[in-house]
Amino acid sequence: MTNEQLQKLVEDISNALFHLPFQHLATFNKKLRSTGGRYLLLSHNIDINPKYLEELGVDELVGIIKHELCHYHLHLQGKGYNHGDPDFKQLLKRVDAPRYCSVLKSAEQKRKASYHIYECKDCKQIYKRKKRVNTEKFVCGKCRGKLQEVTRK
């Protein structure tokens, strides 16, 4: 899907569900990592993460667009557009938009797979950590022995 096709899709969803025009720019943004999309308050544009379309399909993309359009239309109307605002929650429910987007399969695999494994040289206690540990500074919590990195998974 191109940016032009995305723009047309956003405009169509806005007209069909919100009965209001979308008069700004909707684009794919490959730099988005932890979210499916975002509404930019200053420019009123919408950025969409293309990975959600690739991995989860058009239905997930439409849900993200509906969510971002809720932010967009409420903000332009001067109503509560933040996630916790009652106006936002009501509009989400009315247009059947998700409150949060699904987790990407690639992000889930990456999150599960990346950690460091340390072992105590004395008591052989195993420690799994997401971040690296300074083995010169930290010691085993069980016997105060020296730690060594076994593998990085």
Side-chain angles (χ1 to χ4, degrees):
M1 181 179 280
T2 64
N3 280 329
E4 291 78 21
Q5 292 169 322
L6 175 66
Q7 180 74 30
K8 174 94 170 77
L9 180 61
V10 171
E11 290 170 1
D12 291 346
I13 292 171
S14 182
N15 287 326
L17 294 176
F18 297 87
H19 308 292
L20 294 167
F22 177 72
Q23 299 175 326
H24 292 86
L25 195 60
T27 55
F28 285 114
N29 185 345
K30 292 181 181 178
K31 293 181 181 177
L32 294 179
R33 290 181 176 262
S34 61
T35 185
R38 69 177 173 188
Y39 165 64
L40 301 164
L41 293 173
L42 297 177
S43 66
H44 306 295
N45 294 338
I46 292 176
D47 285 347
I48 301 292
N49 187 340
K51 286 185 180 179
Y52 279 82
L53 175 62
E54 294 166 13
E55 291 187 27
L56 300 174
V58 176
D59 290 340
E60 185 72 21
L61 177 70
V62 169
I64 292 167
I65 291 169
K66 289 193 285 188
H67 178 100
E68 299 309 325
L69 283 172
C70 288
H71 289 298
Y72 172 81
H73 289 300
L74 289 170
H75 181 245
L76 292 180
Q77 293 169 10
K79 297 181 179 178
Y81 59 87
N82 289 317
H83 285 115
D85 294 331
D87 291 333
F88 184 75
K89 290 179 183 178
Q90 288 170 1
L91 187 56
L92 281 178
K93 197 176 282 188
R94 197 189 84 196
V95 298
D96 193 32
R99 183 116 188 254
Y100 306 102
C101 56
S102 303
V103 177
L104 287 172
K105 293 171 189 162
S106 61
E108 183 76 18
Q109 290 169 347
K110 188 175 181 182
R111 185 185 63 82
K112 284 182 180 177
S114 61
Y115 54 85
H116 301 270
I117 300 175
Y118 296 90
E119 182 181 41
C120 174
K121 289 182 177 179
D122 297 336
C123 71
K124 306 297 182 202
Q125 174 73 31
I126 300 289
Y127 296 93
K128 293 180 182 178
R129 297 291 178 264
K130 285 190 176 192
K131 293 184 180 180
R132 288 191 66 120
V133 172
N134 182 351
T135 55
E136 298 297 318
K137 185 177 178 183
F138 293 96
V139 294
C140 175
K142 191 174 176 183
C143 73
R144 316 269 310 149
K146 192 162 179 61
L147 296 176
Q148 70 179 16
E149 187 166 5
V150 181
T151 58
R152 179 176 180 207
K153 191 173 179 187

